């Protein structure tokens, strides 16, 4: 037997697959199409580390399975090669970015090909290729012509040392990723894309696609759609109203009467307008300067201590009640979120509550909680009448211990505090005292203190009616255990318990009772839910939802929908990116370059560093910058900003479909054939911005008739990272990067592929282990040996029947696991099957060949070699996917445990359909069991069908 030589095998088949082009998708095919997509890699100078191929291998398994299922599979690859890392490297080494990019892509291509990934290399693209970015520029021009690309002064991250604008992801802990220097927020003219015009469609159309729920949540949170109201607060200085207003957006206009202060972002334009009226201007200015040095993450992190400065000398007027409220600036409010100002309602917002606590500001309640029981035995019923009434809840403390009275109801699963209605002629406190006496008999009750009110709608099981109850809540302490007799009716309805606080919170049922208990034990807190208005003038007693519109109209506001999403800052002041195809003419302003003149090529430059003014290096090339206006023919200047690296990655999946087309972005018939992408897998770190940007561009291209569907991806999944040993992120600076070249050299590509799929759940991060890779290698060596122990036929022995059952179960399980991306359990199932085959004297060749087909997407080289050695001329990767037989999933035999006096002494294999008497007979005749029985008398034999035989011996 020849040893398993992975080097020769893998090189041989990689060359043959490439020569025979077996992985190339056909533009025209009778087979149904299937488009598999990965996020194309950014080719860095360091080459791949072992974490990079994990998603390529995972989607490769899907692609190979789809081909075996009869699909015309498109599984393409390319390079996302524009961007800051290459430019930084070019600056550092004084090497042209073009040369750096070619070196990097050559390295990545060689490494990826060594892994046997079934990419269609004939469709390889590169975002830095002028033939590619011509169409990126073309898309930008269409956005410009449709009013979706515009220039605007906006706040950006500015590196003080590099004199360059940075994207949020290029700022790490407030420092520039490029140089490590300090950054600040700075206003600068930038090209913007109006993604907000697509906000509703980007939000709503998530219902149309098969994305992981966590991905949809990330997308929706980033868009941040909110329904609410826009309200105006007039500003007052001394006794005079100032000709200024603070505009706020709030999702809770129903809480307006509880707004006790205002907060402006430090960058809010109104502050500069009012600086002459602000008495503590120097203090305010210092705070503004400090705030601008902080990142958004630093300013908005949950739980950080709130800071702020009151703008002394000016006040805002609450439009609901005319009261003057102080105005603060605080860094947790951002200028570009909403209106850059908030009305603060501390009783009903946790963040506002914390701020008000620190600055000793009033916190009046204007919403009384409202709890609706919608399910369960006490859920509101449509077929029952609703009775509205006043009610009480009473928290009653034991006279000597830290325990509290709880009613345990008998005909409904309720545990409540003392509760009941307020009858005519009773005061609420009097009703509470009466209920305590009536329900428990306790009579020695101290004077009460009152807790916040709440309201509840529920089905009252004992009364057989819906209740809409308005609860007053009281706290009582008992002076003693003096107790009167409780009536039989009350005892029939409930028992009472004395419970400690930790026991009580586990059993109390109604939400309202949990609310008042929390207020009692922990003190006042912010209630942010819906409710009934109080302390709100004419709107008292109104439900929250109705009050939102009513109060908005009352103060002259406007109901609106707003978004957290902001327009996309699209321009970069650097060299290595797509030139923006516009020229500026003093007469015509911004004019698009003629489409016939695309692409606008990047010129060669001597230095790639930004200018001292912060402009792109392109601004220094007069011969490139100075041009004629395409519209009037006069003197004009090219736009010297370039596009971000998000640009090329926002549409690359379309170019794969027709990568060599020189007359259009991609042929429409080909797009109709292959789009949408059937399955797109990528990292969770790209499920917000990249995914959102590409969906936006695609929807725009759909609107102008370029693509056939409004959503680019039918399905989106994600994978976890491979971490270094010890659980840290792999990083060259930490010296913990593992190069796949050494793994392929020493263990083989198939071993690497198999290990990366076996090492843990695909959607979770997992640490690399040099020791653990030995297991997959040994498994492949066992498979290699099995090929030399084959026979052409099977017999009807139980052992072969068992293998047949195992085989069909594995076909089913491996197929299901692949579809769920449970690759680790799929590999485990195949390892179990190989072990079972290894136990046979001879392995049936037809069974082994089915096993090879299951293994082939995971380990394509070794399975192809064995397949060929078994005499097959056609590639195993062109064979159909195995199908299981339902009738063969159930085993012909089962294992029965045999106990003697309660201890398992043997396991016997018997026919699955065995009867009780035959099973007992086989058990008592088993040689091991006969030894344990000896000469002792069998008192009885217990048979549990399909599981156990228990033999009880006389003592």
């Amino acid at each position: 037997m020849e040893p398993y030589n992975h080097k020769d095998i893998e090189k041989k088949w990689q060359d043959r697959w490439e020569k025979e082009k077996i992985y190339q998708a056909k533009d025209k095919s009778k087979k149904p199409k299937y488009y598999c997509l990965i996020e194309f890699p950014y080719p860095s100078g360091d080459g791949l580390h072992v974490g990079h191929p994990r998603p390529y291998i995972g989607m490769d398994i899907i692609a190979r399975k789809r081909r075996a299922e009869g699909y015309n599979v498109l599984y393409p690859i390319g390079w996302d090669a524009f961007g800051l890392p290459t430019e930084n490297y070019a600056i550092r080494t004084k090497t042209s970015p073009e040369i750096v990019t070619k070196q990097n892509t050559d390295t990545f291509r060689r490494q990826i090909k060594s892994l046997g990934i079934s990419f269609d290399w004939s469709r390889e693209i590169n975002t830095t290729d002028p033939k590619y970015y011509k169409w990126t520029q073309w898309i930008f021009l269409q956005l410009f012509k449709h009013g979706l690309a515009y220039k605007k002064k906006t706040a950006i991250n500015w590196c003080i040392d590099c004199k360059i604008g940075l994207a949020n992801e290029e700022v790490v802990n407030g420092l520039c990723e490029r140089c490590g220097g300090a950054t600040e927020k700075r206003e600068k003219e930038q090209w913007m894309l109006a993604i907000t015009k697509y906000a509703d469609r980007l939000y709503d159309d998530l219902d149309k696609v098969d994305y992981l729920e966590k991905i949809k949540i990330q997308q929706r949170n980033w868009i941040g759609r909110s329904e609410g109201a826009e309200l105006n607060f007039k500003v007052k200085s001394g006794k005079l109203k100032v000709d200024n207003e603070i505009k706020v957006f709030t999702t809770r206009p129903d809480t307006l009467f509880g707004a006790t202060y205002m907060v402006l972002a430090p960058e809010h334009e109104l502050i500069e307008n009012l600086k002459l009226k602000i008495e503590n201007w120097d203090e305010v200015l210092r705070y503004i300067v400090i705030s601008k040095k902080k990142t958004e993450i630093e300013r908005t992190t949950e739980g950080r201590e709130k800071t702020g400065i009151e703008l002394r000398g000016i006040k805002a007027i609450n439009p609901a009640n005319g009261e003057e409220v102080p105005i603060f600036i605080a860094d947790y409010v951002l200028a570009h979120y909403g209106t850059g100002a908030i009305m603060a309602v501390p009783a009903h917002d946790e963040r506002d509550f914390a701020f008000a606590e620190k600055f000793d500001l009033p916190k009046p309640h204007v919403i009384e909680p409202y709890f609706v029981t919608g399910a369960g035995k006490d859920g509101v019923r449509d077929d029952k009448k609703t009775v509205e009434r006043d009610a009480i809840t009473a928290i009653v403390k034991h006279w000597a211990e830290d325990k509290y009275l709880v009613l345990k109801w008998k005909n409904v699963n309720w545990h409540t505090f003392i509760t009941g209605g307020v009858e005519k002629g009773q005061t609420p406190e009097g009703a509470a005292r009466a209920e305590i006496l009536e329900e428990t008999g306790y009579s020695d009750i101290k004077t009460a203190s009152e807790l916040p009110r709440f309201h509840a709608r529920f089905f009252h099981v004992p009364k057989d009616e819906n209740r809409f109850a308005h609860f007053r809540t009281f706290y009582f302490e008992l002076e003693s255990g003096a107790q009167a007799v409780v009536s039989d009716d009350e005892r029939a309805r409930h028992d009472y318990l004395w419970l400690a606080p930790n026991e009580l919170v586990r059993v109390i049922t109604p939400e309202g009772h949990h609310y008042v208990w929390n207020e009692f034990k922990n003190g006042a807190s912010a209630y942010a839910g819906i409710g009934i208005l109080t302390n709100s003038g004419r709107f008292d007693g109104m439900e929250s939802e109705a009050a939102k519109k009513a109060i908005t109209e009352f103060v002259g506001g406007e109901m609106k929908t707003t978004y957290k999403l902001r327009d996309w800052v699209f321009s970069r002041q650097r060299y290595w990116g797509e030139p923006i195809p516009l020229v500026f003419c003093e007469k015509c302003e911004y004019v698009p370059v003629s489409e016939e003149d695309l692409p606008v090529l990047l010129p060669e430059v001597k230095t790639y560093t930004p200018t001292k003014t912060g402009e792109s290096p392109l601004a220094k090339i007069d011969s490139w910058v100075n041009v004629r206006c395409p519209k009037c023919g006069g003197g004009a200047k090219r736009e010297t900003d370039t596009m971000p690296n998000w640009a090329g990655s926002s549409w690359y999946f379309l170019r794969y479909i027709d990568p060599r087309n020189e007359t259009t972005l991609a042929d429409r018939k080909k797009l109709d054939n292959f789009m949408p992408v059937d399955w797109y897998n990528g990292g969770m770190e790209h499920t917000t911005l990249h995914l959102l940007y590409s969906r936006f561009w695609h929807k725009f291209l759909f609107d102008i008739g370029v693509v056939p569907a409004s959503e680019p991806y039918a399905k989106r999944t994600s994978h976890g990272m491979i971490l270094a040993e010890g659980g840290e992120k792999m990083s060259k600076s930490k010296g913990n990067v593992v190069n796949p070249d050494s793994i392929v050299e020493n263990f083989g590509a198939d071993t690497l592929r198999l290990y990366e799929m076996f090492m843990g759940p695909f959607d979770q991060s997992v640490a690399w282990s040099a020791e653990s890779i030995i297991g997959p290698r040994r498994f492949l060596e066992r498979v290699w040996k099995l090929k030399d122990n084959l026979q052409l036929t099977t017999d009807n022995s139980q052992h072969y029947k068992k293998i047949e059952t195992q085989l069909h179960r594995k076909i089913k399980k491996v197929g299901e696991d692949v579809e769920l991306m449970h690759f680790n359990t799929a590999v485990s199932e195949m390892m179990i099957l190989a072990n079972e085959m290894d136990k046979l004297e001879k392995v049936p060749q037809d069974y082994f060949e089915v096993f090879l087909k299951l293994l082939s997407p995971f380990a394509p080289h070794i399975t192809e070699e064995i397949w060929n050695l078994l005499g097959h001329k056609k590639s195993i990767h062109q064979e159909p996917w195995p199908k299981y037989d339902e009738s063969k999933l159930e085993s012909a035999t089962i294992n029965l445990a045999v106990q003697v006096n309660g201890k398992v002494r043997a396991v016997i294999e018997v026919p699955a359909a065995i009867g009780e008497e035959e099973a007992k007979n086989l058990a008592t005749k088993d040689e091991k069991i006969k030894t344990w029985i000896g000469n002792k008398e069998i008192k009885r034999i217990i048979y549990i069908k399909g599981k156990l035989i228990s033999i009880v011996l006389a003592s």
Side-chain angles (χ1 to χ4, degrees):
M1 180 187 73
E2 291 186 9
Y4 170 39
N5 186 331
H6 65 266
K7 292 182 183 179
D8 291 347
I9 292 171
E10 291 172 359
K11 180 68 169 63
K12 167 186 171 182
W13 288 108
Q14 287 165 14
D15 290 346
R16 190 175 300 186
W17 294 333
E18 188 164 354
K19 181 181 178 181
E20 295 177 359
K21 303 176 181 179
I22 68 170
Y23 301 132
Q24 288 189 12
K26 304 293 187 295
D27 287 333
K28 294 181 180 179
S29 174
K30 293 181 180 179
K31 296 179 180 180
K33 70 91 180 181
Y34 202 89
Y35 189 171
C36 297
L37 184 68
I38 57 157
E39 292 170 344
F40 62 162
Y42 187 94
S44 70
D46 299 328
L48 294 176
H49 64 63
V50 290
H52 291 121
R54 193 183 196 195
Y56 315 161
I57 298 166
M59 191 51 70
D60 187 43
I61 292 167
I62 302 292
R64 289 177 180 277
K65 182 170 182 284
R66 287 293 181 273
R67 290 191 193 97
E69 291 169 335
Y71 288 90
N72 175 36
V73 173
L74 173 57
Y75 187 34
I77 184 66
W79 317 108
D80 185 15
F82 271 131
L84 190 60
T86 298
E87 186 166 308
N88 286 346
Y89 185 83
I91 293 170
R92 193 166 61 250
T93 62
K94 296 181 171 54
T95 308
S96 165
E98 289 93 338
I99 294 173
V100 173
T101 297
K102 184 179 187 310
Q103 292 171 344
N104 293 349
T105 53
D106 287 348
T107 299
F108 267 59
R109 187 185 303 106
R110 174 190 61 77
Q111 289 182 301
I112 292 173
K113 284 190 173 183
S114 76
L115 300 174
I117 311 292
S118 66
F119 287 130
D120 182 348
W121 287 97
S122 71
R123 297 171 184 265
E124 180 183 348
I125 59 174
N126 188 319
T127 57
T128 68
D129 181 350
K131 292 179 181 178
Y132 180 90
Y133 71 70
K134 168 184 178 177
W135 299 106
T136 309
Q137 292 175 337
W138 181 87
I139 295 171
F140 177 87
L141 287 184
Q142 310 318 305
L143 290 161
F144 179 78
K145 291 172 183 177
H146 284 79
L148 294 173
Y150 64 95
K151 204 161 195 181
K152 171 190 172 183
K153 183 173 280 191
T154 188
I156 63 168
N157 301 303
W158 182 261
C159 176
I160 297 168
D161 293 334
C162 295
K163 295 182 174 58
I164 193 170
L166 302 172
N168 286 335
E169 63 274 10
E170 294 160 359
V171 179
V172 180
N173 297 322
L175 302 177
C176 172
E177 186 183 49
R178 173 185 283 196
C179 72
T183 65
E184 65 180 16
K185 287 290 185 181
R186 185 173 290 190
E187 294 281 321
K188 191 168 180 64
E189 290 277 333
Q190 296 286 315
W191 282 100
M192 314 285 291
L193 295 187
I195 190 173
T196 52
K197 291 186 178 180
Y198 281 72
D200 280 325
R201 288 168 63 187
L202 289 168
Y203 192 98
D204 293 335
D205 287 358
L206 289 168
D207 290 332
K208 301 178 181 178
V209 291
D210 179 17
Y211 291 3
L212 295 175
E213 189 58 31
K214 61 183 178 181
I215 294 175
K216 291 186 178 184
I217 289 169
Q218 282 196 355
Q219 289 266 294
R220 289 197 164 112
N221 287 346
W222 192 266
I223 296 166
R225 184 164 72 186
S226 298
E227 307 288 337
E230 198 167 78
L231 309 173
N232 292 318
F233 285 67
K234 293 189 180 299
V235 178
K236 183 179 179 183
S237 175
K239 294 183 178 180
L240 300 175
K241 285 186 179 178
V242 181
D243 188 22
N244 286 106
E245 289 184 332
I246 301 174
K247 190 181 293 292
V248 301
F249 173 81
T250 176
T251 60
R252 295 297 303 269
D254 52 317
T255 66
L256 180 56
F257 282 83
T260 58
Y261 64 98
M262 307 286 294
V263 184
L264 305 181
E267 304 88 352
H268 198 289
E269 60 185 14
L270 187 62
I271 299 171
E272 183 69 24
N273 295 342
L274 293 171
K275 72 177 183 180
L276 296 178
K277 300 184 183 300
I278 298 172
E279 296 171 357
N280 56 332
W281 176 251
D282 290 345
E283 183 184 21
V284 169
L285 184 59
R286 281 195 298 272
Y287 186 85
I288 292 171
V289 172
I290 293 170
S291 298
K292 284 186 175 181
K293 294 182 182 296
K294 296 178 182 177
T295 65
E296 286 187 16
I297 293 174
E298 289 174 321
R299 288 171 60 169
T300 58
T301 299
E302 287 291 329
R304 71 179 279 266
E305 185 179 358
K306 300 294 181 288
T307 64
I309 299 290
E310 183 180 354
L311 306 181
R312 298 198 193 103
I314 60 173
K315 300 285 185 183
I317 308 299
N318 186 323
N321 54 23
E323 292 182 2
E324 295 182 11
V325 298
I327 305 171
F328 287 79
I329 61 169
D331 60 9
Y332 72 85
V333 179
L334 303 176
H336 55 283
Y337 281 4
T339 63
I342 64 167
M343 67 175 214
V345 185
H348 303 292
D349 181 277
E350 290 182 9
R351 183 182 58 180
D352 296 346
F353 186 91
F355 193 91
E357 285 275 284
K358 179 173 181 177
F359 290 93
D360 196 24
L361 297 165
K363 303 182 285 291
H365 281 77
V366 294
I367 301 290
E368 294 173 344
Y370 177 24
F371 304 101
V372 179
T373 306
K377 198 172 181 180
D378 53 342
V380 175
R381 300 186 186 180
D382 293 337
D383 60 335
K384 297 292 184 180
K385 68 176 182 177
T386 297
V387 175
E388 185 172 359
R389 67 177 304 183
D390 292 332
I392 62 89
T393 298
I395 298 175
V396 181
K397 186 176 184 295
H398 194 274
W399 58 94
E401 300 178 66
D402 187 25
K403 291 186 175 181
Y404 300 83
L405 268 178
V406 172
L407 298 180
K408 180 181 179 183
W409 295 69
K410 293 184 176 179
N411 57 351
V412 62
N413 187 26
W414 284 350
H415 284 79
T416 71
F417 294 121
I418 304 299
T419 186
V422 180
E423 304 300 336
K424 190 173 181 179
Q426 285 184 313
T427 64
E429 183 180 335
R433 289 174 177 274
E435 288 292 346
I436 296 169
L437 181 62
E438 184 179 319
E439 294 178 346
T440 69
Y442 287 106
S443 56
D444 199 358
I445 305 168
K446 267 189 180 180
T447 304
S449 61
E450 188 164 1
L451 297 169
R453 287 167 42 121
F454 72 93
H455 308 262
R457 193 183 291 269
F458 58 96
F459 180 68
H460 197 301
V461 176
K463 302 292 185 182
D464 194 36
E465 64 190 20
N466 293 321
R467 282 284 175 85
F468 183 19
H470 310 290
F471 286 95
R472 296 276 291 274
T473 304
F474 299 90
Y475 166 65
F476 298 94
E477 292 180 1
L478 297 180
E479 293 275 21
S480 69
Q483 195 172 18
V485 176
V486 177
S487 72
D488 291 341
D489 285 346
E490 289 295 335
R491 286 202 303 270
R493 279 199 289 268
H494 44 64
D495 295 325
Y496 68 84
L497 311 168
W498 285 106
L499 298 180
N502 61 336
E503 300 171 307
L504 179 154
V505 295
R506 288 199 297 266
V507 302
I508 286 290
T509 314
E511 283 186 90
H513 291 211
H514 277 283
Y515 165 73
V516 294
W517 174 256
N518 185 64
E519 291 287 300
F520 166 66
K521 289 299 286 184
N522 301 320
S525 61
Y527 172 72
I530 63 169
I532 307 295
L533 270 66
T534 186
N535 299 320
S536 297
R538 69 174 72 177
F539 303 100
D540 281 0
M542 186 177 286
E543 292 187 24
S544 296
E545 288 304 311
K548 287 180 179 179
K549 185 176 181 182
I551 291 179
T552 300
E553 291 176 349
F554 172 64
V555 300
E558 181 182 0
M559 297 299 291
K560 275 196 169 184
T561 301
T562 66
Y563 305 87
K564 180 182 173 184
L565 179 68
R566 290 293 170 261
D567 279 348
W568 177 2
V569 180
F570 192 71
S571 49
R572 298 288 188 270
Q573 292 73 49
R574 55 177 80 110
Y575 172 74
W576 194 233
E578 301 92 337
I580 293 176
L582 297 172
V583 301
F584 182 78
C585 168
E586 292 289 346
K587 178 181 177 182
C588 307
E589 298 188 338
Y590 283 103
V591 180
V593 171
S594 171
E595 290 180 16
E596 289 75 27
D597 293 331
L598 296 179
V600 176
L601 296 171
L602 269 176
E604 291 186 9
V605 297
K606 293 180 180 178
T607 175
Y608 308 103
T609 55
T611 63
K612 292 181 180 179
T613 59
E615 294 178 284
S616 161
L618 297 175
K620 296 182 286 190
I621 309 175
D622 291 340
S623 60
W624 185 82
V625 172
N626 296 315
V627 293
R628 291 288 170 186
C629 173
K631 189 173 182 180
C632 72
K637 292 183 180 295
R638 289 191 190 277
E639 173 58 65
T640 60
D641 284 357
T642 55
M643 301 185 199
N645 62 325
W646 299 104
S649 64
S650 290
W651 72 281
Y652 72 108
F653 50 91
L654 299 172
R655 191 63 176 175
Y656 282 140
I657 292 170
D658 195 9
R660 309 293 168 248
N661 198 316
E662 296 184 1
T663 60
T664 186
L665 179 149
D667 181 81
R668 180 55 191 263
K669 289 183 179 178
K670 293 179 181 179
L671 290 171
D672 289 347
N673 178 37
F674 279 109
M675 288 300 292
V677 174
D678 293 282
W679 194 332
Y680 186 21
N681 184 78
M684 277 302 292
E685 68 274 18
H686 294 140
T687 52
T688 48
L689 293 183
H690 160 65
L691 198 59
L692 202 65
Y693 291 159
S694 61
R695 291 179 62 222
F696 161 49
W697 274 38
H698 196 80
K699 287 180 182 298
F700 168 71
L701 292 173
F702 173 73
D703 290 348
I704 64 173
V706 175
V707 297
S710 65
E711 282 290 335
Y713 319 117
K715 181 173 184 173
R716 168 75 191 208
T717 52
S718 64
H719 59 273
M721 292 190 297
I722 292 180
L723 306 172
E725 294 200 60
E728 285 188 311
K729 187 175 181 180
M730 283 195 185
S731 166
K732 185 179 179 183
S733 64
K734 294 178 180 178
N736 59 11
V737 170
V738 180
N739 190 318
D741 290 351
S742 62
I743 305 300
V744 171
E745 172 73 17
N746 295 319
F747 297 96
D750 282 344
T751 299
L752 175 65
R753 290 171 62 105
L754 209 62
Y755 174 57
E756 294 212 356
M757 295 300 97
F758 182 57
M759 64 194 303
F762 187 69
D763 64 342
Q764 296 176 25
S765 294
V766 61
W768 181 265
S769 169
E771 288 185 9
S772 298
I773 200 168
I774 302 297
R777 171 68 189 198
R778 288 175 177 164
F779 165 63
L780 292 179
E781 289 173 350
R782 186 181 302 117
V783 173
W784 183 255
K785 291 177 184 177
L786 281 172
K787 78 180 189 323
D788 298 315
N789 192 35
L790 304 181
Q791 66 182 29
L792 292 177
T793 59
T794 61
D795 59 40
N796 290 320
S797 68
Q798 293 294 341
H799 208 49
Y800 283 107
K801 288 289 184 182
K802 182 178 178 181
I803 284 291
E804 182 181 52
T805 301
Q806 285 272 352
L807 184 66
H808 284 270
R809 285 178 177 174
K810 300 314 179 194
I811 295 170
K812 183 176 188 292
K813 185 66 165 64
V814 170
E816 291 171 348
D817 283 350
V818 168
E819 296 305 316
L820 294 170
M821 288 189 147
H822 293 171
F823 301 121
N824 58 325
T825 54
V827 174
S828 177
E829 293 292 330
M830 289 185 285
M831 288 177 170
I832 292 169
L833 182 57
N835 286 340
E836 291 298 322
M837 288 183 171
D838 208 15
K839 295 174 184 177
L840 298 174
E841 289 184 15
K842 289 289 183 179
V843 179
Q845 183 167 324
D846 54 345
Y847 290 3
F848 184 65
E849 289 183 354
V850 171
F851 166 73
L852 288 177
K853 290 179 184 180
L854 293 178
L855 181 60
S856 62
F858 295 80
H861 307 89
I862 190 173
T863 50
E864 184 78 290
E865 176 71 7
I866 296 173
W867 188 255
N868 182 256
L869 291 173
L870 293 178
H872 298 284
K873 301 302 181 185
K874 190 170 72 170
S875 169
I876 192 172
H877 304 299
Q878 294 174 317
E879 289 289 319
W881 186 253
K883 294 182 179 180
Y884 61 87
D885 186 337
E886 285 277 0
S887 67
K888 294 179 179 178
L889 294 178
E890 295 300 323
S891 176
T893 64
I894 57 173
N895 290 327
L896 288 179
V898 184
Q899 290 181 346
V900 178
N901 284 350
K903 292 186 177 181
V904 175
R905 298 302 186 184
V907 176
I908 61 174
E909 187 176 29
V910 300
I914 195 169
E916 180 175 350
E917 290 306 316
E918 186 181 357
K920 290 178 179 178
N921 186 42
L922 287 174
T924 55
K925 290 181 178 179
D926 182 83
E927 291 301 321
K928 288 183 181 179
I929 299 301
K930 285 165 68 175
T931 301
W932 285 102
I933 294 173
N935 297 321
K936 294 180 181 177
E937 178 190 352
I938 298 175
K939 287 183 65 177
R940 64 179 182 277
I941 301 177
I942 301 167
Y943 175 62
I944 300 175
K945 186 176 180 182
K947 295 183 178 180
L948 178 72
I949 295 172
S950 181
I951 301 171
V952 181
L953 304 177
S955 56

